[in-house]
């Protein structure tokens, strides 16, 4: 499973939303020799990482449709991916030869995400009540 921590930081009246996600590494079910609950967890981890990879590929290709809704993880990260967001990716890898495939996969993931481009724009908060009052006055 993945670990997620969210926070809102407000400095001088400006707020920023921070999300820290520790993505669990993909599990090679045959290699890890797991079964039962651990196998279900590994399959769920793989499904979420696959969904994230599809989103990143769509962003890189600038597809009209980005499949954010394919998984809860990608829905959570939607505002943190692509246009209007500043995102850092930190990859931890192993130098051990037996983990070469996982290391290579992790580096490829980071390299693919690095290709995502977008413009950072300032987002303005909308005063919903003020907007509602203005609309009522206009009627």
């Amino acid at each position: 499973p993945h670990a997620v921590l969210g926070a809102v930081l407000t400095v001088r009246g400006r707020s920023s939303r921070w999300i820290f996600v520790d993505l669990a590494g993909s599990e090679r079910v045959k290699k890890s020799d797991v079964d039962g609950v651990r196998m279900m967890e590994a399959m769920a981890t793989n499904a979420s990482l696959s969904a994230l990879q599809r989103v990143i590929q769509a962003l890189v290709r600038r597809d009209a449709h980005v499949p954010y809704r394919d998984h809860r993880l990608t829905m959570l990260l939607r505002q943190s991916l692509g246009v209007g967001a500043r995102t850092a990716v930190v990859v931890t890898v192993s130098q051990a030869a037996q983990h070469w495939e996982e290391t290579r996969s992790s580096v490829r993931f980071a390299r693919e995400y690095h290709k995502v481009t977008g413009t950072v724009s300032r987002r303005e908060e909308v005063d919903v009540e003020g907007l509602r009052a203005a609309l009522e006055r206009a009627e």
Side-chain angles (χ1 to χ4, degrees):
H2 308 297
V4 179
L5 171 67
V8 175
L9 177 65
T10 303
V11 177
R12 290 184 234 140
R14 293 185 66 191
S15 295
S16 297
R17 181 176 174 213
W18 291 68
I19 299 177
F20 299 92
V21 180
D22 181 4
L23 297 173
S26 65
E27 294 288 334
R28 308 262 188 240
V29 176
K30 288 182 183 177
K31 186 176 179 179
S32 59
D33 195 34
V34 295
D35 59 2
V37 173
R38 297 280 297 159
M39 185 171 77
M40 297 302 286
E41 288 176 355
M43 290 170 54
T45 297
N46 291 342
S48 64
L49 292 173
S50 293
L52 182 57
Q53 185 66 31
R54 286 190 302 275
V55 165
I56 290 169
Q57 289 170 348
L59 289 169
V60 168
R61 291 188 308 256
R62 296 181 180 256
D63 290 353
H65 171 71
V66 179
Y68 291 111
R69 298 183 80 193
D70 284 0
H71 198 276
R72 286 180 293 175
L73 176 66
T74 53
M75 288 173 40
L76 173 72
L77 295 176
R78 182 178 188 152
Q79 292 180 336
S80 301
L81 300 169
V83 177
R86 294 182 184 178
T87 304
V89 176
V90 178
V91 177
T92 305
V93 296
S94 173
Q95 63 185 9
Q98 73 249 29
H99 300 298
W100 166 243
E101 288 298 320
E102 290 83 359
T103 296
R104 185 173 66 169
S105 177
S106 296
V107 170
R108 282 182 178 166
F109 170 82
R111 187 179 300 146
E112 189 72 14
Y113 185 80
H114 184 68
K115 295 177 187 175
V116 175
T117 58
T119 57
V120 176
S121 61
R122 184 175 177 180
R123 293 185 181 166
E124 297 292 332
E125 293 293 325
V126 176
D127 176 12
V128 176
E129 292 303 317
L131 182 59
R132 180 178 293 148
L135 288 172
E136 288 173 359
R137 284 192 303 267
E139 292 178 346

